[in-house]
Amino acid sequence: MSAGRPVLIVGGSMGGLRTAEALRRSGYTGPVTVIGAELHAPYNRPPLSKDVLSAGVTHEAVAFPARAATADVEWILGSQAVTADLDNRSVSTDDGREYPWSALVIATGLRARRLPFPPIAGRHTVRTLDDAMALRQELSPGTRVVVVGSGFIGCEVGATARKLGCEVTIVSPSAEPMVRPLGGMLAAELRRRHERHGVEFRLGRSVSELLGDSRFEGVLLDNGETVEGDVLVEAIGSECNTGWLADASLDLEDGVLADTALRAVPRNGTARDDVYVVGDIARFPNLMFDEVPRRVEHWNIPTDTGKRAGAVLGAWLANDGSFADIAAKEFAPMPAFWSNQFDVSLQAYGLPGLAGDEDIRILRGELCGDVAVGYYRERRLVGVVGLGFKTELLPFRQEIAG
Amino acid sequence: MIKIEVNMDACQHYGQCVFEAPNLFALNADDKLEYHAEADESERDNVESAVDVCPMQAIRIVE
């Protein structure tokens, strides 16, 4: 261990914050430095596609509460890591600084994927608070909004814009909105509910061209149809912020590979006790389902992985003999996600995306009302999604946990 | 004593807090959240966990 060097957490969002808090909870009192690309202290992202767009709330309203235990953590905000040297234990940033470390936590998360067209005014994404605030400026009653992408973010933005009185068209190559995580049955029902509120869909379609010279005026679809618009929202998924790790000999196949203790696994295969991966970019095995490492972009994952990595790293730094036991503990966090679209309150547990369409069935209620839908893999329940239902989901959550 | 405040305008009754601090939070028969506004200091870790897992970030410890 390198005495006096801080634990360096690269990534100043929820995963980084939860790791810092868990490190302190583990008893580690040494220096902790967090480097964050955004200028804002960590904040909650789900409201970005909802309240931030509809009510224009500020950073203060979405910021995570600061805790006394982490008051002495050093935050370097507005700075981006550009290289990592795992042999000499150092990270460099875009402002030319070098940060030596005793242990490294990789928490750089995702960025919004963009359509491959030239930059013009009126193009938006919703990944950061600044993104959402910029989009809000452009939404008023009658604004024609074209959303490209029909995942959760695209559908939530579409619903919020519609509630603000905008004309909304959602364009997507998928057959139904949110079909990958939810399967065909529930996805079709959610499309019907969106349509009843006046959202239009162009499904099975992709964008061939953006119209407008200096300012967005619409999209040309691959079937030759033109959809005119004033504002474009690109909600076509995300890319992992792993560029700064290119020379670090880690497994960057999809995010950063980690073991069940969240230790980074280099390409040579031996997990490093001094390098951890948390949040959206961590590809780790969840023994609740199987041993396949997966990235999971659900809201609870930065918190669960941050707490786990902080506890394991804290034990390694304490060097008191507790490390092996803590690292070997089973880690099987229950994936959970939520969404609000119009009057629909959706809640989900597990990994419904693991089930094929033939293994999805209604467990409670009716598709047109409150409903709980079960997702099976090899006859085992691996996911449950509820519309409206809350406590009714709990026995199924229990069943998924096994 | 810890004082707990829940913004009931923000709360969507998802019940994640119930898993973390079952002595203090519960969903009633109508799926609505009920909670104790005061807790013993020994519950602090649980309450902080409940704060962490609330997707609406509606729970606050009043210091």
Side-chain angles (χ1 to χ4, degrees), chain A residues 44 64 67 338 347 349 391, chain B residues 13-14 16 31 52 55 57:
Chain A
N44 197 28
F64 291 117
R67 289 188 174 140
W338 303 267
Q347 181 167 24
Y349 294 110
T391 46
Chain B
H13 315 280
Y14 286 127
Q16 300 309 289
D31 273 358
D52 290 351
Q57 290 291 292

Side-chain angles (χ1 to χ4, degrees), chain A residues 68-96:
Chain A
T70 41
D72 60 351
V73 169
E74 186 186 14
W75 291 84
I76 316 278
L77 297 176
S79 188
Q80 233 169 320
V82 288
T83 61
D85 180 341
L86 300 195
D87 296 329
N88 296 306
R89 289 183 171 163
S90 176
V91 163
S92 68
T93 53
D94 57 353
D95 47 8

